[in-house]
Amino acid sequence: MIDYKNIDDNYKMKNAAVFLKNVSMTFGLNKALDGVDLAIMPGEIHGLLGQNGCGKSTLIKVLSGFNHPDKGSELYINGDSVKLPLDPDMLTKYGLSFVHQDLGLVPSLTVLENLRNVQLFQSGMKINWKKEKKAAREILDRYNIKVDVDANIESLNQVDKAMISIVRAVESIKGRADGKGILVLDEPTVFLTKTEVDTLFRLVREVAASGLGVLFVSHDLDEVMEITDIITVLRDGHNCGEAITAETTKDGVIEMILGQKLSSFVKDTEEYEYKEHPDVIKFNNVTGETLRGVSFAVNPGEIVGVTGLVGSGFGEIPYVLFGANEIKGGTMEIHNKTVDLSSYDMKKAVNDNIALIPADRPHKGGIGDLLVEENVMMQVHKKYHPWMLQNRSMRQKAEQLNEKYAVYPNDVRLNFGNLSGGNQQKILLAKWLQERPDLLILHEPTQGVDVGARQAIYKHIDKAVKHGTAVVCASSDYDQLVQICDRVIIFVRGKIVDTLVGHEITKERITQLCYNSN
Amino acid sequence: GDSSSSSSSTAGSSEAGSAAESSADVSELQAKLDAYKGLPEFDTAAFEGEAFDAKTAMAGKKWLTIPGTSSNPFNQTICEQICEIAGKVGFICDLLDNQGAAEEHIAGLNSASQKGYSLVDLQAGPTPETLGAQIQECMDAGVKVVTSHLTGYEQEVSPISANMGAGYYDVAQLLSDWVIVNAGTDAKVLVVVSEEITSTLSMENGIKDEFAKYAPDASVDFVNVAIVDWGSKCQSETENYLSAHPDTDYIISIYDSATQYIVPAVKSTGSSAKIVAYNGTPFAVDYVKTGDIEMLLGEDLQTIAYATVDFEMRTALDMPIVEEPTLLRMWTSENVDEALNADGKCEYGIGYGDSAKLAYESLWGLS
Amino acid sequence: MADNRSAKVNMRGGGVSGFIQKYSVIIAWVIVIAVFAVTSGDLFFNWNTLSLITGTRSVVAILALAVMIPLTAGDYDMSAAYTMTLANMITVYLSIEKGVNVWLSALIAIIAGVAIGFVNGIFVVKIGIDPFIVTMGVGTFLAGITLWISNKTLSGTELAPLQNICIGKIFNIQYIFFYCLILMLVLWYMFERTSIGKKILFIGHGKEVARLSGVKVNKVRWGCLIASSTLSALAGVMYSGVTGSAKSGSCNDFLMPAFAAVFLGTTFIKPGRFNPLGAFISVYFLETGIRGLSLLGFSTYIQNIFYGAALVLAVAISALIKKKNIKADKAKKMEALEAENDRDKKEQKSVKSST
Amino acid sequence: MADNRSAKVNMRGGGVSGFIQKYSVIIAWVIVIAVFAVTSGDLFFNWNTLSLITGTRSVVAILALAVMIPLTAGDYDMSAAYTMTLANMITVYLSIEKGVNVWLSALIAIIAGVAIGFVNGIFVVKIGIDPFIVTMGVGTFLAGITLWISNKTLSGTELAPLQNICIGKIFNIQYIFFYCLILMLVLWYMFERTSIGKKILFIGHGKEVARLSGVKVNKVRWGCLIASSTLSALAGVMYSGVTGSAKSGSCNDFLMPAFAAVFLGTTFIKPGRFNPLGAFISVYFLETGIRGLSLLGFSTYIQNIFYGAALVLAVAISALIKKKNIKADKAKKMEALEAENDRDKKEQKSVKSST
Ligand SMILES: Nc1ncnc2c1ncn2[C@@H]1O[C@H](COP(=O)(O)OP(=O)(O)OP(=O)(O)O)[C@@H](O)[C@H]1O
Ligand SMILES: Nc1ncnc2c1ncn2[C@@H]1O[C@H](COP(=O)(O)OP(=O)(O)OP(=O)(O)O)[C@@H](O)[C@H]1O
Ligand SMILES: [Mg+2]
Ligand SMILES: [Mg+2]
């Protein structure tokens, strides 16, 4: 065990596996990092925490050489002072290995090419494909990942993708001759189920035990408390605290992250009872790629959670209901009419006043290189005379929304892509909720959103519900389901196995149903 | 770089010796021009070639004729007629369609000996130097390679079995004469040329010499636009010139295909310049009809085709070769109706008479 | 919430360099005009030159506006110039060789343009092939069709009515310039003020997002390809009016200048975005340079050199200014933050002492 | 684990349609040859035709291989054909007009190619401008330079040594074909078997990921642009040897055929990826079609029509086959699920009955 008491900067410079000192990083006008220090000692599992947009990923990308930090930033690896921005060669030289937030895989290339990319990049003039293939198969077998080495990454599900990224990172530093290096995991668990998380943690402990440093980023505080030795918390690009995990509590960590006590969103407490509302929205016999003749209903003013394991089909629900996926069949009863979902499309969905906030924010949610105002007003052109758009009043409206949804930085003329995940999600909520949808479909609405912003998002959803919006929330975050849902529908293998109502909804019960029906 | 497209050369300054000609000579020019108003006549007396029995001599021969580019109907039509005439004489002639790319000509030459051609006719194509290796290969294999309608009589090219010249120099003089007669000896003239064409040099010389001789006070400017750039640059270059020189009297378009761009340039700048041109392409004859071109020197494609066949048969048969005549007619609004077919449309080969055809056929013993 | 503490910060580059970026090409235009006016005096600086610049090459402006539409939606239309040539050929061929009324001929040419866009759309949208390849292939195909219609240069008096409405002049400026101006304004309005314009923009920057926001991405892309081909055909019809003739291959060389103008147009007015005004001004900026150099007596080769150099340098300078702006902004922001930081630190201290 | 229960599903199209996709263009090639052999008999099916097909247009193969390199890294090099023309002009001009030794002239032309790639790289990599715009601008610039060097057609006996090594024949096939073949094999090895090839591939499919994996993206892209220009210059030198002459604009028209071949090459051998062998075969497939049609006596316009149609249709068919394969895979997956479901039901029943 490391004796954290006697560690000062001087010691870190000489001994840390990685010591980032006084790192600053500015994007446009936005100072994402401001003099941050972070030291990872050999053999330690270091948690890096903080709200969305506090600069965690930015810091990691400084370490990987992707970001070019401001002058004055310093980096020490194993006692060597290393020039910033980091030269890509240094990654392999010093054994820096990453699982980036967006996984760092190339979807259009094969599993083999992705898994072995570092080796391929180093094999000079003579790549031996037989050897590489054998090595790749061996690795996949060892970690029990059942995919074809020649399949394209884009044909895999999220879990396999994440596992490949993780395994790649672990393999590339395990058994290094000098026994040095660090493994950086930027929110590796968001796509994983409990089983894979356990596998991951076993790996991480092995890596740390072999004397390598590990940097672990997550918004899931339970995970952080379980796996890390020490945590560093960032707030708005500053260091705002460091604590030895064993000596702190979850609430203490939350307070460090937020700078204040958490005022959790709390649902109305009275007992919930399901009664069919006259304006109920019904789905009948929905059959898609994995869904098998599923039927359920949502009342106005009700939040229905749908969940299950990956591959159970619950992830298909949001897109099927919105007409975004081609499906075999199924109908929806809405506004006193019945529509055929197999010939439904997104334009009709929007006309029927349905809103969808997808999980894949950068590719499906918002457009990164358009302005915030353009993103937030994307849906409402009809109201501003489609043949004579009133740009000024649209901007005013966008500014109001930004204010109301507490988006930071508060400037509607920034590019959407420059905001952090949580703020992007607020903008997407504003984009759709101003339309006062009758049905709001959410897919992993707080994935990668920090604890603070999460509560704000819940409050906005709740407000819409109070105004009579029906909500379907597809999520694998059981805490979230417990916190906000009136009913939770559990999917197994494309079918509904059970529906929990009101106080029946507990984390344990959901977990049990998801796994045990298998 | 050696290019200077707008080489403003006031003709005559270099040739002071002939600068003393008086305006009396100008009426001489008028008479010279008048000779081209009517149907052209093949001058049998002046033709030096001997008669021969073409049918027997040419039996079993096989020719390939390659137009400079099939996308130029002028070239294409001549080659088609060559093959037609070959049919009449009684030997085989194939036409190689192409779009004017060097490698297409090369491919044609490469396959010539293997396909058993005895003669390849390069009709108004690239200069033979650019095909040197392939032509040499053909000649080594016993295939005669002849260039036609490519150079002035006075120009030489190599390597080649024989080169049939044409009267480009004289044509250029005639165009200049028209300008001098109609705009006086102090005429302001723009000449639009494409210097990458071999015969351009001959025509440029003809124009320079004629102005030096008869109208040393005239200002003659040359604007060079390569044929490939005509679409994007010919019109704007002409416009620019006219805009900078609003008092231009005449534009000489040495190849009348360029008038497609010169006529609209004159219109869009509102210039009062008149246009004279050479070739006799149907659409240019149309411009004569509409008055957009004042005078067009037309050459008879049929005569060219006959002359080419005559020249090349003599080459093929190792007979002495002779200078083939170029029959010209001057088209103006006065006589342009004679260039139209029954539908009132312009077409190749109308309005030049049959004298050349008859003369050649009797030389060859066909009639 | 903690993250909303700072007041609204103006993130866009203002000041001198921002102004320069926004009006870069216009400034360059003024400089070019001034240089020509000084060096060639009256020869350049007269109404005649204005007439030249706004004249013939306006067809390039139409073509540029045409290709800009699918470009905004993220699709290259490499067939545009070939469509233009074909429309030119159809107009002239039908009216001259087939005796069809010239207006009807022009209409048929434009309908052919619509059809070409439709076919491009089938391959791009229905089958899902990269538009660059499809339009390149279709373009080559159209070149063949044009050559098949006629390998001759066609012209005749039948085109006179079309010519009159193209090259007639008002204030010494050819009518065609005003058509281009109107077209530019219409497109500007469309992109700025209509929801269809916004939809095209969304598609160009994020197809999936647009799709999931209820935009019929495929339909709109298809529409953009049709618009491009139709306007290209219009350019071909106008070209028939301007030159009064047609020839296979006549307009193929306009593709590069058109794309050049569109990309140059992204460096100013609305930097980073395709915009009709930028493209329009770029066409005439480049045209001014070329005309001026030609009037100064430069050979035709200087045109290419000027065109290429102007395009690359303008885009490069714009990129460099942008980089500089960002740096300048950084400095400003840092100062502003410094003050806030101090405040924060005090707050933090109080938090720490309380834990 | 629940989500991994389904057995490995082969996502690539196997079976007949997979075979067809993998060898599509080769199959089309065989069919084309067969059709010509039947319809025109001896005229087509002889050594001479082989000599023609593998002959002069091999320069297009070199150009195609050149532009393929930056394309693989995601960058368009639109200046390649202009570089080729310039190299052609430099080689011929120096050796004929300036009396420079022909080999030295060729070397200078190739060095010019390197320099052009370097300049492209400065703008693309250092300043960060879209390569399509940069190379288009640079290309136009180079066209001006070529015209400035000479506006005449140049040729002369000084080029003989170069011509000998290009158009000399072995087995009735010109040497130049073998150079192309060697170049193709070298590139094939590079892309298949060396880490630099893999780096280029990763950059083309995901720049950010490549950078995060320690690839010096900028350096490699720059290198690709230089390779492209250098090989284009080589093509220009070869063209000098093949034609023995130079002319401004001589090779500009090769750009489209080169791109066409490269894109056509992505439809087979390694569907969906740029690959040297595919590009190489495509050049000769298209050439076979054109030569055959020409031997059959079709006018030149049919060449363009064939070129365009072959490109679009080949790519479209390949896309359709791919779609069909994906659908078939989906159906297979669903069946697998169905079967499992049935099994589940039985299990559930037995569970129920046992409780
Ligand atoms: N490329 C960029 N350009 C401009 N701003 C950026 C860029 N990348 C990040 N930022 C900004 O930097 C800040 C920190 O972002 P970062 O992604 O590091 O946050 P994070 O702590 O990883 O948040 P999350 O938990 O949501 O992943 C944010 O305000 C973000 O908007
Ligand atoms: N009919 C509705 N359907 C869905 N959502 C609604 C509806 N009405 C309001 N909302 C949601 O509630 C939010 C607040 O609504 P609104 O602007 O009407 O109230 P406010 O007066 O500004 O807020 P508050 O009443 O909470 O002070 C909106 O942003 C919208 O998302
Ligand atoms: Mg992050
Ligand atoms: Mg996150």
Side-chain angles (χ1 to χ4, degrees), chain A residues 24 91 97 100 103 297 301-302 365 382 395 429 454 480 505:
Chain A
S24 300
L91 296 180
S97 194
H100 288 285
L103 299 179
E302 182 190 39
K382 272 172 269 165
R395 168 159 314 150
L429 273 174
R454 208 175 279 188
Q480 175 181 102
I505 309 174

Side-chain angles (χ1 to χ4, degrees), chain B residues 142-185:
Chain B
V143 181
K144 294 237 161 59
V145 183
V146 185
T147 45
S148 61
H149 208 250
L150 175 71
T151 69
Y153 291 127
E154 77 284 7
Q155 288 173 295
E156 289 191 1
V157 292
S158 70
I160 207 75
S161 309
N163 172 43
M164 184 182 100
Y168 289 107
Y169 187 87
D170 312 327
V171 165
Q173 286 186 324
L174 284 171
L175 293 170
S176 310
D177 295 343
W178 178 276
V179 172
I180 295 166
V181 165
N182 289 286
T185 52

Side-chain angles (χ1 to χ4, degrees), chain A residues 64 66 87-89 91 100 104-106 108-110 113 117 120-121 123-127 129 148 150 155 160 195-196 288-290 292 309-310 328 493 495 518, chain D residues 1-5 8 10-12 189 192-196 198-199 201-202 205-206 208-209 211-216 273 330 333-334 337-338 340-341 344-345:
Chain A
S64 72
F66 190 88
D87 200 278
D89 295 350
L91 296 180
H100 288 285
L105 300 173
V106 181
S108 52
L109 296 181
T110 63
E113 284 163 326
N117 70 346
L120 292 175
F121 292 163
S123 46
M125 302 300 288
K126 263 198 292 206
I127 292 176
W129 283 110
D148 181 353
D150 290 325
S155 68
D160 288 337
T195 331
E196 284 92 16
E289 203 169 333
T290 27
R292 291 278 165 274
L309 298 177
V310 176
K328 275 192 163 165
R493 294 194 193 173
K495 290 186 175 163
N518 229 350
Chain D
M1 272 173 0
D3 39 67
N4 271 319
R5 77 209 124 88
K8 205 187 284 181
N10 188 350
M11 295 295 284
R12 275 137 303 110
Y189 187 88
E192 277 300 300
R193 288 302 182 91
T194 72
S195 52
I196 179 71
K198 283 293 143 189
K199 284 180 187 172
L201 181 72
F202 263 79
H205 285 255
E208 301 239 325
V209 175
R211 220 156 111 197
L212 290 171
S213 322
V215 177
K216 300 204 173 186
R273 295 199 184 177
K330 247 191 200 168
K333 251 192 191 169
M334 281 197 180
L337 269 179
E338 215 69 54
E340 240 176 295
N341 266 347
D344 281 4
K345 260 182 211 156

Side-chain angles (χ1 to χ4, degrees), chain A residues 43 52 86 137 178 242 249 254 332 360 413 478 487 496:
Chain A
N52 290 124
L86 195 79
R137 287 222 175 92
D178 62 358
E242 199 177 68
T249 62
I254 290 176
M332 169 169 68
D360 186 357
R413 309 203 66 191
Y478 303 154
R487 283 188 294 143
I496 295 174

Side-chain angles (χ1 to χ4, degrees), chain A residues 27 30 32 52-58 101 187 219 418-421 448:
Chain A
F27 292 108
N30 186 6
N52 290 124
C54 69
K56 301 179 295 294
S57 300
T58 304
Q101 187 160 8
E187 298 193 40
H219 289 295
N418 290 351
L419 302 184
S420 75

